[in-house]
Amino acid sequence: MKGIVDYSRRVRTTPFTPGVESAGVKNYLVYNHMLLPTMFESVEADYRHLKQHVQIWDVAGERQVALKGPDARRQLQLVTPRDCARLDPTRCLYTPICDQHGGMMNDPIALQVDEDEYWLSIAPSPVEAWLYGIAAATGMDVEIWEPDVSPLAIQGPKADQLAARIFGDAVNDLGFFRCGRFEWKGINWLVARSGWSGQGGFEVYVEGAENGMPLWDALMAAGKDLNVRAGCPNAIERIESGLLSYGGDITRNDTPLQAGLGRYVSDNQLDTCWGGRRLKEEREAGSTRMLRPVEIDGVLPAFSESWPLFAGETRVGDVRACQYSPDFATNVAIAMVDRDYWDAGTELETQTVTGRAAVKVRDAFWK
Ligand code: THG
């Protein structure tokens, strides 16, 4: 890929870039100012392989924002409407971060890595600046920075087998969104049962860039008979599984309730957290629109920015992500839909550059 991307401090390589390049990466996007692979063989071939075998993903672009100090926990609880009381070093929490209007600033996974230290594993948006500004304005005793930590994901139905060969059988005892420390080659690796696919697996929070390639190489060598390959988050599979993409499916114009993340909005936080009052009002009045899984008929052009949704001639929302799914033989999509039209089974239309297409609201994601 050299010559396509100008590597610099502005578009950063990752500790795993040598492995990704020798595996023949065909496309990247830039995520938190860092390269994130998006395709190896083809999106469809990568999808098939992910659902059958096991892949190693360079998701170092999921950067950590560290909060450390006497007020770290208090600040974390202030910026998310999710009750973090259960957060401890054995558990990760998916935590929407909201602004003062309840708009989503990010949707990170929160981890507690020490008594007074927390990490937010973020999607692209300036979380570090947002938290630093809040800390400065409210006089919080907390340090905020981006540590040298790079997530590496092991995803797919054979992920348990592969992870056990490196970290030992105990890693398979981790429940969903549980984490722990597992020893390999003298290092205690932070491993969580999580990852941006519905196929199961783990994420290793690699501390120290120099530790990245040794782990990458060991996983590739240990998984040869499992048909392990380099992979990456897959545009089709993640829609089927209903994993949201901040910046695409959701932005600061959407609240977590509108994003369908109401289960991560805790009533007991709404008097104190940022945006809480607005979220309380929205919960009491009922949301006026909601992110919904929708199915779209026909042969569609490649998805771009967004497509408008119509009920007859009335604009009722927009399609925010859409991919053809080989397994479900339809176009799987995520749309923001106005209240009167969001019931499962509602038939709508969208407008693409090649014409109108029939849309049907579903009751659930595909997986
Ligand atoms: N892993 C890590 N960091 C990340 C992501 C990740 N940072 C960026 C981005 N992804 C953050 N967004 C998400 C979105 C969805 C999930 C995790 C991070 C996710 N959701 C599950 C679901 O919706 O089914 C489970 C949520 C739950 O039940 O707690 O996994 O992927 N390290």
Side-chain angles (χ1 to χ4, degrees):
M1 294 297 283
K2 298 236 157 50
I4 294 179
V5 177
D6 254 343
Y7 297 139
S8 75
R9 288 292 297 163
R10 302 199 183 282
V11 181
R12 301 173 288 180
T13 58
T14 90
F16 317 110
T17 301
V20 160
E21 301 242 328
S22 71
V25 63
K26 291 206 177 109
N27 238 321
Y28 288 114
L29 53 71
V30 175
Y31 196 89
N32 286 320
H33 314 288
M34 201 171 245
L35 296 176
L36 188 98
T38 56
M39 184 169 82
F40 283 86
E41 196 179 337
S42 71
V43 173
E44 251 190 66
D46 294 353
Y47 161 91
R48 291 227 171 282
H49 180 269
L50 169 63
K51 288 184 156 191
Q52 284 168 20
H53 303 288
V54 56
Q55 298 184 345
I56 306 303
W57 294 3
D58 170 2
V59 283
E62 296 170 350
R63 304 309 293 163
Q64 309 304 298
V65 175
L67 296 125
K68 185 179 175 66
D71 290 334
R73 191 171 185 110
R74 192 156 67 88
Q75 185 176 13
L76 170 62
Q77 189 59 86
L78 201 60
V79 299
T80 177
R82 179 162 190 189
D83 186 344
C84 294
R86 288 190 316 143
L87 184 58
D88 67 35
T90 70
R91 201 189 298 267
C92 343
L93 291 183
Y94 184 39
T95 46
I97 303 294
C98 291
D99 70 6
Q100 66 273 35
H101 306 297
M104 280 187 68
M105 296 295 287
N106 209 289
D107 68 335
I109 293 176
L111 302 115
Q112 178 172 9
V113 294
D114 209 340
E115 187 154 330
D116 64 347
E117 183 173 342
Y118 299 84
W119 292 348
L120 293 177
S121 187
I122 64 168
S125 83
V127 173
E128 187 181 340
W130 173 247
L131 297 192
Y132 192 62
I134 291 175
T138 57
M140 294 273 185
D141 187 357
V142 58
E143 278 180 77
I144 299 172
W145 78 103
E146 184 189 293
D148 176 11
V149 175
S150 297
L152 184 69
I154 307 167
Q155 299 286 298
K158 300 179 189 168
D160 274 45
Q161 269 177 281
L162 178 53
R165 292 179 187 181
I166 301 293
F167 298 111
D169 290 338
V171 80
N172 287 335
D173 296 338
L174 285 176
F176 188 57
F177 265 58
R178 290 295 188 134
C179 57
R181 295 268 174 188
F182 296 85
E183 200 269 341
W184 180 69
K185 298 253 182 209
I187 295 174
N188 277 317
W189 305 78
L190 177 57
V191 184
R193 190 183 285 277
S194 58
W196 214 60
S197 88
Q199 303 308 309
F202 302 90
E203 292 180 302
V204 187
Y205 292 82
V206 176
E207 294 161 86
E210 71 283 4
N211 295 318
M213 281 311 297
L215 180 62
W216 174 283
D217 288 337
L219 285 163
M220 287 296 179
K224 273 211 168 73
D225 61 307
L226 302 175
N227 195 11
V228 67
R229 281 195 212 163
C232 51
N234 185 274
I236 311 166
E237 195 279 340
R238 75 93 185 174
I239 297 179
E240 293 177 0
S241 295
L243 294 161
L244 300 186
S245 178
Y246 183 81
D249 311 338
I250 36 175
T251 70
R252 191 150 64 82
N253 295 318
D254 310 307
T255 69
L257 299 174
Q258 292 167 352
L261 300 177
R263 62 195 178 282
Y264 308 116
V265 174
S266 311
D267 284 329
N268 70 354
Q269 297 304 316
L270 300 187
D271 290 330
T272 44
C273 74
W274 280 67
R277 196 169 47 81
R278 293 287 284 272
L279 295 173
K280 198 171 183 172
E281 286 167 11
E282 182 183 337
R283 184 162 264 170
E284 280 163 9
S287 300
T288 55
R289 52 187 201 150
M290 189 83 70
L291 219 50
R292 304 288 286 140
V294 304
E295 210 164 272
I296 310 182
D297 283 347
V299 177
L300 302 175
F303 187 75
S304 59
E305 286 295 282
S306 81
W307 293 335
L309 260 188
F310 296 98
E313 289 315 305
T314 311
R315 178 76 185 265
V316 299
D318 51 280
V319 178
R320 297 192 174 179
C322 178
Q323 293 287 326
Y324 179 73
S325 160
D327 283 354
F328 294 94
T330 186
N331 300 287
V332 295
I334 301 175
M336 185 60 84
V337 187
D338 288 352
R339 168 157 56 189
D340 292 345
Y341 305 91
W342 75 31
D343 285 345
T346 306
E347 295 188 359
L348 304 168
E349 280 188 319
T350 190
Q351 178 73 45
T352 76
V353 287
T354 57
R356 289 236 167 182
V359 176
K360 195 170 188 176
V361 180
R362 286 174 56 91
D363 64 339
F365 286 92
W366 288 262
K367 195 191 164 277

